[in-house]
Amino acid sequence: MFLLCAMKLAEAKEQFIQQWGILGSQWGINRTMAQVHALLMVASQPLSTDDIMEQLNISRGNANMNVRDLINWQLVQKVIVSGDRKEYFTAEKDIWKVATCIMYQRKKRELDPMLKVLDKLNDIEGDKKTAEVKAFTETIANIQRFAGHAEKTLDTVIRAEENWFFSNFMKMFK
Amino acid sequence: MFLLCAMKLAEAKEQFIQQWGILGSQWGINRTMAQVHALLMVASQPLSTDDIMEQLNISRGNANMNVRDLINWQLVQKVIVSGDRKEYFTAEKDIWKVATCIMYQRKKRELDPMLKVLDKLNDIEGDKKTAEVKAFTETIANIQRFAGHAEKTLDTVIRAEENWFFSNFMKMFK
DNA sequence: TTTTATTTTCAATTTATTTTGAAAGTACAG
DNA sequence: CTGTACTTTCAAAATAAATTGAAAATAAAA
């Protein structure tokens, strides 16, 4: 009975890991990095590099690099187990915190550089009234205004939703 | 004077196209597809496949495939010019519509399949009170609740922002 | 119908990304 | 210090993704 249950759980974890990997790769995140993240999210305890290697069938170098990247993304943390020389790792399990973290990180890393470029594109030499120039600067200005607006909205939503975990916690008693 | 101006505009367009390509590729979109999209967004008139090939230095097959993909994404439309056998293409220029379109498409194509898998992972054989099983199902349920919540929020934001274009239009007169 | 302009397809190639694994680096224990 | 356990690095290899270009398909014109 215990084995049956364990089997099924392992299977479910496996499917979750695979799907999270697919989702990640569709959004420009290394599939293996997403899988490591998924593995740690559903792990009931911190895992070592060897655990990760074994469970995902990947090499030591690969496991190490992806764990480092996840730590950089602040999605994974090192765990020190006293009396053990190995390093262990855990992932943030509250999906709201995960989402917030990813949104902020990607904004900083990928959206901000775009906005910096857009800023530069505002002054174009010559006649600002040429139809072509006007159309271009208007499109750029439009994107900038949208970005500013989106940023504010994001902050608002994040702040408004900070009680999400709590309200969620309440539902467990319904 | 005209040439100087044209030069600068071309340069600015070029930079925008490059940056949009980088941004796209970071978010899992083919760099060239993003570049074609950018090119059409800042084009003052519809472009043919040959125009796209020339401006981005890409092959006919590549240009054709990426334009088709963009049409599938509903970000680009075919334009018929009477008396011309060639097909021309334009992109939606209102960035709000572009963003809304992309959000809906990616949700449908990439997020929904994930949610479908999560649904299946809810019934695990055996004792639901095992700490491990409980932790796993709770994590999954958490993601599902988050997704449902995010979906509602997205709809709300989109509806609340539908006047964005109008309020934006007003700013032009300030 | 036949010719001609244009679009589409896809196998082969090129380019980019990911992964490996073994050597080098670190740091703790004795 | 020396040996041992573990982590990090990175050039080479493997894999995945994008691109080409020419042939096949399509459709308008003559």
Side-chain angles (χ1 to χ4, degrees), chain A residues 49-50 60-61 64-65 68 84-87:
Chain A
T49 302
D50 291 271
R60 184 170 302 284
N64 180 268
M65 276 178 152
R68 294 302 133 197
D84 196 335
R85 230 150 116 180
K86 268 188 197 158
E87 289 180 335

Side-chain angles (χ1 to χ4, degrees), chain B:
Chain B
M1 179 60 183
F2 174 69
L3 269 177
L4 251 180
C5 170
M7 280 300 290
K8 258 297 200 182
L9 177 61
E11 233 174 79
K13 282 190 180 184
E14 173 66 18
Q15 279 189 46
F16 174 72
I17 290 165
Q18 291 309 322
Q19 196 61 31
W20 199 257
I22 290 168
L23 186 62
S25 68
Q26 284 169 329
W27 287 75
I29 279 130
N30 178 309
R31 176 173 315 224
T32 303
M33 177 167 147
Q35 287 179 340
V36 173
H37 182 224
L39 175 63
L40 291 173
M41 275 203 296
V42 294
S44 56
Q45 48 182 290
L47 301 181
S48 68
T49 302
D50 292 271
D51 295 329
I52 295 167
M53 285 167 64
E54 197 194 338
Q55 302 227 24
L56 300 180
N57 289 300
I58 58 174
S59 71
R60 185 171 301 284
N62 198 5
N64 180 268
M65 276 179 151
N66 283 115
V67 166
R68 293 304 131 193
D69 280 350
L70 284 163
I71 290 173
N72 271 341
W73 277 73
Q74 297 179 268
L75 291 169
V76 162
Q77 281 187 302
K78 201 182 285 193
V79 173
I80 293 162
V81 174
S82 64
D84 196 335
R85 228 150 118 179
K86 269 187 195 160
E87 290 179 335
Y88 289 81
F89 307 97
T90 15
E92 172 59 57
K93 285 183 165 61
D94 174 7
I95 196 69
W96 176 258
K97 284 186 191 163
V98 172
T100 306
C101 180
I102 292 171
M103 285 192 286
Y104 275 129
Q105 295 276 336
R106 299 202 77 160
K107 179 183 142 22
K108 193 177 66 187
R109 291 164 190 237
E110 295 146 13
L111 266 24
D112 288 354
M114 177 85 223
L115 298 182
K116 221 172 154 189
V117 170
L118 290 180
D119 245 351
K120 281 197 236 158
L121 300 185
N122 274 320
D123 38 271
I124 288 175
E125 275 179 52
D127 193 352
K128 299 289 189 295
K129 276 160 196 155
T130 309
E132 271 217 67
V133 174
K134 234 177 135 179
F136 176 74
T137 52
E138 194 45 46
T139 301
I140 298 297
N142 223 246
I143 296 175
Q144 289 181 302
R145 273 179 246 134
F146 173 74
H149 192 81
E151 193 163 335
K152 256 189 276 173
T153 304
L154 185 62
D155 284 343
T156 306
V157 172
I158 285 172
R159 235 175 304 103
E161 305 302 341
E162 255 161 14
N163 61 357
W164 181 80
F165 187 63
F166 178 70
S167 74
N168 210 264
F169 179 73
M170 293 308 291
K171 279 179 201 150
M172 287 169 60
F173 299 104
K174 278 209 303 199

Side-chain angles (χ1 to χ4, degrees), chain A residues 19-146:
Chain A
Q19 196 61 31
W20 199 257
I22 290 169
L23 185 62
S25 67
Q26 285 168 329
W27 287 75
I29 280 131
N30 179 308
R31 176 174 314 223
T32 303
M33 175 167 148
Q35 286 179 341
V36 173
H37 182 225
L39 174 62
L40 291 173
M41 275 203 295
V42 294
S44 56
Q45 48 183 290
L47 301 182
S48 68
T49 302
D50 291 271
D51 295 329
I52 295 167
M53 285 167 64
E54 196 195 337
Q55 302 226 24
L56 301 179
N57 289 299
I58 59 175
S59 70
R60 184 170 302 284
N62 199 5
N64 180 268
M65 276 178 152
N66 285 115
V67 167
R68 294 302 133 197
D69 280 351
L70 284 164
I71 290 173
N72 272 340
W73 278 74
Q74 298 179 267
L75 291 169
V76 162
Q77 282 186 301
K78 200 181 285 193
V79 173
I80 293 161
V81 175
S82 65
D84 196 335
R85 230 150 116 180
K86 268 188 197 158
E87 289 180 335
Y88 289 81
F89 308 97
T90 16
E92 173 58 58
K93 285 184 164 61
D94 174 7
I95 195 70
W96 176 258
K97 284 186 191 162
V98 172
T100 305
C101 179
I102 292 172
M103 285 191 287
Y104 275 129
Q105 296 275 338
R106 300 202 76 161
K107 178 183 142 25
K108 192 177 67 188
R109 291 164 190 236
E110 295 146 13
L111 267 25
D112 289 353
M114 177 85 223
L115 298 182
K116 221 172 154 187
V117 170
L118 289 180
D119 245 352
K120 282 196 236 155
L121 300 184
N122 274 318
D123 38 270
I124 288 175
E125 274 180 52
D127 194 352
K128 298 289 189 296
K129 275 163 197 152
T130 309
E132 271 217 66
V133 174
K134 235 177 135 179
F136 176 75
T137 52
E138 194 46 46
T139 301
I140 297 298
N142 223 245
I143 296 175
Q144 288 181 303
R145 273 179 246 134
F146 173 75

